[in-house]
Amino acid sequence: MKPASRHKPAHPEREHLPPASHFATCPRGLEELLAAELAVAGATVVRQLPAGVLFTADAAAEMRANLTSRIATRILRKVGYARYRKEEHIYRAALDLDWPAWFDVGKTVAVKVGAQNAPLKSLNFITLKIKDAICDRFREEVRARPSVDTDSPDVPVYAFLTQDAATFYLDTSGEPLFKRGFKREASAASIKENLAAGLVMLSGWEPGTPLLDPMCGAGTILLEAADIALDRAPGRARRFAFEHYRDFDAALWQRIRAEAQAREKPLARLPIFGADRDRWVLDKARSNLAAAGYADVIELKLSDALELEPPAPAGTIITNPPYGERLGDADDLAGWYPLLGDWLKRRFAGWTAWIISGDPLLPKAIGLKASRRIPLFNGQIETRFLQYKLIAGSMKAGRAAAPQAPLF
């Protein structure tokens, strides 16, 4: 089975909260954005929790959330809850659940367990016991057992354990929702798609205005910005685990997909620009843009970031500066940040720059005062999303008035 993890987001069952049917997970710091998305999808938000949102949803809202959420990692449907004092109680609780009512024995399954303060010796053992309970329940009901597929199961089952309670979920998403279904390549410094979408949304960028990622890597931020600008559902090119469940309504799903497609804006060139100094990495970005249908929508340039000129008098920079291995050793990286600040001051007056950093010291070397600092998590790494308003008055008058060369 899939390895268990003790590093999971806060969970609703450890607090006294109103009843809810679902729990959506997301990168920590993006909970408010996720709650707003769920409401638009037709769900009723119960409460935001660290790295997730508790909510209630019918079948339509569950489908829309999976299809349209840019922020969610998984949409989990609650199917059981029980108190326990020892491992056998968890097995019995899982055995009591009517798994055959939710999916056919021909579907493959996998179990994943997370825990917070659970007084158990081995979560891997509990994972196996829950799997055994599911299979034993099928044997009792239909004289057969489902097969296990730890890599790409039809039915991912998730259990979360607190100090004295176990909650069981059907994962309605399948693969994490940040896997949009078309991206082919990743770079060493890539961030997940849902975090990239969160950066674009938090920045306040308005579609139709210029956006530049001068260190675009595989193009993740650019892709998410284009999807937002064209109102394209992020899950349009993929499948979901809920399609394997007995209660799946294919006609309803077709209507929801058609609704989302009808909202899409026509493909047209967008004022979204990306650059990277690594030809190999930029080729990955081109491949990803082409796979998403954006080969002629977003412009890319092979260039060192510090040699770029702005593509417009004003706009928004959103970037995830490269990791140390792409710039050299730590000394090179520390020496590069002041150059970045100087480049922004000299060439991008009138723009707003947003930079995400997991290092508490390096951004101080930029030499600019951040007007906003938003705490976020990139996986397990605590980061800050920093806003810099680049004022023309901080530059020499002659240089500020000088004409700019085009970026592309």
Side-chain angles (χ1 to χ4, degrees):
M1 303 307 295
K2 290 188 176 181
S5 172
R6 294 182 182 270
H7 301 288
K8 291 294 174 184
H11 192 272
E13 298 299 349
R14 69 188 183 90
E15 300 189 39
H16 298 292
L17 299 176
S21 61
H22 290 72
F23 186 57
T25 64
C26 70
R28 190 164 182 172
L30 300 180
E31 299 86 357
E32 187 172 351
L33 294 178
L34 175 56
E37 287 187 329
L38 293 171
V40 171
T44 299
V45 173
V46 174
R47 185 171 172 183
Q48 297 176 36
L49 296 169
V53 175
L54 183 68
F55 66 102
T56 59
D58 59 12
E62 179 186 273
M63 290 176 179
R64 286 195 201 95
N66 274 290
L67 177 65
T68 64
S69 176
R70 306 184 192 283
I71 302 300
T73 301
R74 296 185 183 279
I75 306 295
L76 304 174
R77 184 198 300 176
K78 180 180 172 182
V79 294
Y81 173 80
R83 298 284 184 179
Y84 75 92
R85 292 193 304 275
K86 55 185 180 179
E87 294 163 340
E88 181 64 19
H89 296 160
I90 298 173
Y91 168 82
R92 295 301 310 180
L95 183 66
D96 286 343
L97 297 176
D98 194 359
W99 303 103
W102 298 320
F103 60 93
D104 184 83
V105 69
K107 302 296 183 181
T108 58
V109 300
V111 178
K112 192 170 184 178
V113 176
Q116 190 168 47
N117 301 323
L120 301 171
K121 294 181 179 179
S122 171
L123 294 187
N124 287 322
F125 177 73
I126 289 297
T127 300
L128 292 173
K129 294 297 289 183
I130 295 172
K131 183 268 296 181
D132 289 344
I134 295 170
C135 293
D136 291 346
R137 180 61 186 253
F138 269 96
R139 278 202 198 94
E140 291 177 2
E141 299 283 340
V142 301
R143 305 301 181 186
R145 54 170 287 170
S147 298
V148 173
D149 183 346
T150 59
D151 293 325
S152 55
D154 300 324
V155 178
V157 175
Y158 179 72
F160 188 87
L161 309 178
T162 61
Q163 187 173 14
D164 61 355
T167 309
F168 302 92
Y169 294 96
L170 292 177
D171 181 350
T172 69
S173 303
E175 284 198 310
L177 293 176
F178 58 74
K179 295 187 177 182
R180 308 303 200 203
F182 54 80
K183 186 175 178 181
R184 299 170 178 168
E185 305 278 358
S187 64
S190 289
I191 58 176
K192 297 290 193 297
E193 285 77 358
N194 53 350
L195 178 57
L199 300 184
V200 175
M201 295 162 74
L202 287 172
S203 75
W205 171 70
E206 292 289 339
T209 64
L211 183 147
L212 168 65
D213 183 352
M215 295 162 275
C216 69
T220 306
I221 291 173
L222 306 177
L223 285 162
E224 294 302 313
D227 269 4
I228 291 170
L230 298 175
D231 200 8
R232 305 183 84 187
R236 65 190 179 277
R238 54 163 288 165
R239 303 292 297 273
F240 300 91
F242 64 73
E243 297 176 64
H244 293 287
Y245 298 153
R246 289 189 184 277
D247 63 357
F248 173 58
D249 186 335
L252 175 61
W253 179 226
Q254 288 180 349
R255 290 198 299 273
I256 288 172
R257 286 178 60 87
E259 291 170 2
Q261 190 170 8
R263 291 193 298 270
E264 292 183 6
K265 297 173 183 172
L267 279 176
R269 188 171 293 277
L270 299 171
I272 298 176
F273 308 91
D276 202 282
R277 73 177 193 173
D278 188 323
R279 184 183 298 276
W280 181 67
V281 170
L282 201 66
D283 284 343
K284 290 184 176 184
R286 294 188 196 281
S287 176
N288 291 331
L289 293 180
Y294 293 149
D296 299 321
V297 171
I298 298 170
E299 295 189 54
L300 298 177
K301 183 177 183 181
L302 180 65
S303 175
D304 188 287
L306 304 185
E307 296 176 359
L308 290 172
E309 298 287 348
T316 303
I317 293 171
I318 304 174
T319 195
N320 173 32
Y323 291 101
E325 61 266 23
R326 287 183 59 197
L327 284 171
D329 58 26
D331 290 339
D332 291 338
L333 192 61
W336 178 80
Y337 268 79
L339 300 177
L340 173 65
D342 184 58
W343 170 71
L344 290 171
K345 285 184 287 187
R346 289 188 296 105
R347 300 189 183 182
F348 282 84
W351 283 63
T352 299
W354 288 86
I355 295 173
I356 186 170
S357 177
D359 191 300
L361 299 178
L362 286 174
K364 296 179 180 179
I366 291 178
L368 298 170
K369 183 178 181 181
S371 52
R372 289 187 67 189
R373 296 174 176 85
I374 302 175
L376 298 171
F377 275 77
N378 181 9
Q380 298 296 321
I381 302 172
E382 185 173 1
T383 69
R384 291 294 183 270
F385 191 36
L386 305 166
Q387 181 193 54
Y388 300 95
K389 294 183 178 179
L390 307 171
I391 308 299
S394 64
M395 303 170 62
K396 294 181 181 179
R399 190 174 188 91
Q404 297 285 5
L407 174 60
F408 298 96

